[in-house]
Amino acid sequence: MSEILVVDDDMSILSAFEQLLTEQGYEVSKALHGQEALNLLSSHRPDLIIMDIRMPGLSGLEVLHRIREIDRRLPVIVITGYGTMETAVQATKLGAVDYHLKPLNPEEVLESIAGALESVRLMERPVELDGESSPAQGDLIVGRSRCMREVYKSVGRVAETDATVLIRGETGTGKELVARTIYQHSLRAAAPLVVVNCVAIPDTLLESEFFGHEKGSFTGAEKKKIGKFEQADGGTIFLDEIGDMPLSTQAKLLRVLQDRSFERVGGSERVTVDVRIIAATNRNLEAAIQQGQFREDLYHRLRVFTIHLPPLRDRRDDIPRLAAYFMERFSGEMAVDKPVLTEDAASELCNYSWPGNVRELQNCIQQAVILTRGYPIRSQHIVKVLSTIAASKAGTDDTPARFGELKQLIHDYLQTYQGNAAHLEFLETAEKLLLSEAMRLRHDNQTHAAKFLGLARPTLKAKLDKYGLISGL
Ligand SMILES: Nc1ncnc2c1ncn2[C@@H]1O[C@H](COP(=O)(O)OP(=O)(O)OP(=O)(O)O)[C@@H](O)[C@H]1O
Ligand SMILES: [Mg+2]
């Protein structure tokens, strides 16, 4: 359970936070002023601090400064009133991960807490490479196959340099684990790691999320904002799913890679930062370049040091080790005996294609342990679990296979064109194409084309009229 220290001189705010946060399952400690918070910190470290910036005695900024001296990575979220906007911006420069204006919006505060704690997890949960001693807590990157040993060598070679790293591999192959390992073994391990998932943020907000914005630079920008790159100054930034970054942001990122500087959205001041960049993607960047969705110059900048994570089906000799590792882990978590895996079950695992890679294997073992609760895991258990996994996947995607390519096109379309007209433009264009193709195949005979499409003839005619598709008449 994560522990949050709330620092505010207003008792009622402290109690409100205590209620909100305990309801969410956090453990809460409280301090009425900065000095009290610092005293607490000398003996005990919470996972996150929420602090009012304006307090009697030591100012919030001074407290923040001291906290940074004690622990550069401890996330601090700052609360501020309208009069103290500039202070909030200074606080972000001092490493506060976020700030919120009073009156507070609990949803937003909870969201930024969750985001900050996720970064902490990435920073602090240790990852070790297979072959070293097994970490008592934390994660192990399991695998001794030749291709994984190559991965470890690359990690070792690049971690302590400041080089930009691009991590590639299918979904679930361990890209995030490798990013964490590089960070934890880097010279910047004591400084923060800022994580941005490029898919999770709408295109229109991504640029300001990355680079910040000046007050009033666009509708909704009521306050000046410090972006992730500025927050990561002195540390590392992890750009996850970089292949899904919109083109406009790519142009700006390219400049950051070239000279480590950028302008905030709506601003003209050049901001220079010292950040190490780690990026990951499961997309085929070469194809994205062909389709005009990824900048070739950015690609060349990024790929200087690339780590490829092999799909699990290409390193099947790692499957038994991985299975044993997950059995140990999940049986421990569930407090049941560590199960054995029968030979049949092991070969079932080794022969499966694992489209979801290690993540899918992990889910499979977890469910098998739940199913057998300490008793041997047999092949029928594996078969059963795999078919449940397949069924739940089918449930989330019931698009007929013949539309697979269309689905990809739609995905790509939405990456590039968003906005008010995206829905209408797409449907109209698709319908127009469908109708004109049917008419072409039926030699402009409306009766035949209507039959072909399963439409009534008057309906088809009305649609052809609408789109101006009636030729020659
Ligand atoms: N080699 C490995 N050893 C142990 N666990 C692994 C390994 N690779 C992946 N995992 C586990 O599998 C899950 C998925 O890994 P991770 O999130 O790093 O994948 P990813 O490549 O970032 O996937 P995505 O592209 O979907 O984001 C995690 O729970 C991770 O701990
Ligand atoms: Mg990932």
Side-chain angles (χ1 to χ4, degrees), residues 139-143 148 152 169-178 180 238 240-241 280-282 309 315 322 325-326 329 358-360 362:
D139 299 305
L140 182 68
I141 302 190
V142 177
M148 284 310 282
Y152 305 152
E170 291 178 11
T171 179
T173 45
K175 296 185 292 298
E176 186 191 293
L177 278 184
V178 167
R180 277 161 60 194
F238 175 37
D240 204 358
E241 319 282 5
T281 183
N282 56 20
L309 285 173
R315 51 180 189 107
L322 278 160
Y325 170 71
F326 292 132
R329 171 180 240 175
V358 185
R359 183 184 288 115
E360 189 178 9
Q362 177 176 292

Side-chain angles (χ1 to χ4, degrees), residues 439 446 460-462 464-473:
M439 287 293 277
Q446 289 184 18
L460 174 66
K461 179 161 186 328
L464 293 173
D465 278 334
K466 174 180 164 194
Y467 293 122
L469 288 175
I470 298 179
S471 52
L473 293 175

